Amino acid sequence: MRRTIFTFIMLCFVTLTLQAQDVWTAAGSSTIFGTHWDIKDTQNDMTDKGNGIWQLTKTGCILEQGVKNEFKVVKNHDWNSGSYPEGNYVFTVKETGTYSVTIQFDANNCTINATYTKTGDAVIGEKTWTVAGSPEILGKKWLETATENDMIKQDDNVIYILTKTNLTLAQGIYQYKICANHGWAENYGDDNDPEGNASIVITKAGTYDVTFTFNQETKEVSATAVPSVTDGISQLPADVKTKKVIFNLQGQRISSPKQGVYIINGKKAVLK
């Protein structure tokens, strides 16, 4: 009788221990995980390898040269239960292609190691670049699918521009990011910002034209805001046009401007 009771207690203990076992899940860029930062996706649950080591391998990942791939490892499908590392784990590949990515997590000291092996070639098509951020400038609040905020490719096939005109802006900071193909899997802003957002600082309330610029090769992001009113606009000689980078008010780069109002090196000016 005592042995039976002891066996029953041990079975209950083992059952409760199994039920209480933590689950670790990797969540991040959809290029690796299929879903974008979805901590509930059980397809990205890691496998217990013993001794506190957990592992997940994803195959057929199409990764682009120089583009950041980011992720975290999350406990029990809940951000509040714990996520590691404190900042995202980030890696890039040196060559565009199809990859197998293996993520290993040590739950003993909460460290992560990722390895990746190229398994085939891949071709990345032309991308659509869209500005998403503060609705005061962009009309929609952080909406990456807003086609009215798609940027215009310039003649060099490298620079993309979007200009928003006659915006009534209060003094303050307006944030934005530039994202690829109407999604958040690939986006660019300011790495010095805690959330990676780029900013436009308006020091005086007024009406402005805001021009966003993105370099597809270097991934450089910038924006300028100039008063929409023409009072006080600089009058520049004609030879300036051969020495400056010039955009019209629609955000298109101009190589041989005629008379009119242009944005030259981020400042509004009149060419006569």
Side-chain angles (χ1 to χ4, degrees):
M1 180 70 178
R2 290 180 179 176
R3 179 174 294 181
T4 301
I5 294 174
F6 176 77
T7 302
F8 175 74
I9 292 173
M10 290 302 297
L11 286 173
C12 291
F13 175 77
V14 171
T15 300
L16 290 172
T17 300
L18 290 173
Q19 289 177 342
Q21 186 179 44
D22 292 325
V23 175
W24 294 97
T25 303
S29 302
S30 59
T31 48
I32 300 174
F33 303 104
T35 52
H36 186 63
W37 291 95
D38 184 2
I39 61 174
K40 303 294 186 182
D41 189 346
T42 57
Q43 294 186 61
N44 295 319
D45 287 352
M46 308 185 80
T47 301
D48 185 0
K49 308 299 287 188
N51 298 319
I53 304 300
W54 296 76
Q55 185 171 296
L56 174 68
T57 297
K58 304 297 287 187
T59 59
C61 305
I62 298 178
L63 305 182
E64 184 178 356
Q65 174 186 352
V67 173
K68 292 180 180 179
N69 303 287
E70 303 182 69
F71 68 90
K72 285 181 179 288
V73 174
V74 183
K75 184 178 180 179
N76 297 331
H77 300 126
D78 182 4
W79 291 117
N80 295 322
S81 295
S83 62
Y84 305 93
E86 182 176 353
N88 297 340
Y89 189 100
V90 180
F91 72 91
T92 60
V93 297
K94 295 181 179 180
E95 185 180 2
T96 298
T98 303
Y99 285 80
S100 173
V101 179
T102 296
I103 299 165
Q104 197 170 78
F105 175 70
D106 188 339
N108 300 300
N109 52 26
C110 299
T111 57
I112 296 173
N113 182 52
T115 58
Y116 40 91
T117 303
K118 185 179 178 182
T119 58
D121 295 328
V123 176
I124 306 296
E126 184 174 350
K127 298 177 182 179
T128 298
W129 297 102
T130 304
V131 186
S134 299
E136 295 87 350
I137 296 177
L138 297 160
K140 304 290 178 62
K141 186 177 181 179
W142 291 96
L143 185 60
E144 75 282 6
T145 58
T147 56
E148 62 268 34
N149 294 326
D150 289 351
M151 307 185 81
I152 300 172
K153 181 173 66 174
Q154 304 303 297
D155 294 339
D156 57 11
N157 294 320
V158 174
I159 301 298
Y160 283 73
I161 297 289
L162 174 68
T163 297
K164 294 291 186 177
T165 59
N166 298 317
L167 303 171
T168 301
L169 301 177
Q171 178 181 344
I173 298 175
Y174 299 85
Q175 296 187 311
Y176 69 96
K177 283 185 176 180
I178 293 175
C179 55
N181 298 329
H182 298 130
W184 289 113
E186 182 183 356
N187 65 84
Y188 300 94
D190 184 354
D191 289 339
N192 295 317
D193 181 81
E195 297 181 352
N197 298 326
S199 297
I200 302 170
V201 180
I202 300 297
T203 58
K204 182 180 179 181
T207 303
Y208 291 88
D209 297 340
V210 176
T211 298
F212 300 93
T213 305
F214 178 66
N215 187 311
Q216 183 174 238
E217 289 187 351
T218 65
K219 307 301 188 286
E220 181 181 1
V221 173
S222 63
T224 58
V226 296
S228 297
V229 294
T230 58
D231 294 344
I233 292 178
S234 302
Q235 309 296 318
L236 299 180
D239 62 353
V240 170
K241 66 186 180 183
T242 63
K243 303 176 183 178
K244 304 289 184 180
V245 178
I246 303 173
F247 299 98
N248 62 24
L249 295 183
Q250 286 70 50
Q252 298 169 317
R253 189 169 181 172
I254 305 298
S255 58
S256 300
K258 300 179 180 180
Q259 292 181 347
V261 181
Y262 297 90
I263 297 173
I264 301 176
N265 282 2
K267 298 181 180 180
K268 185 175 285 186
V270 171
L271 294 181
K272 290 189 174 182

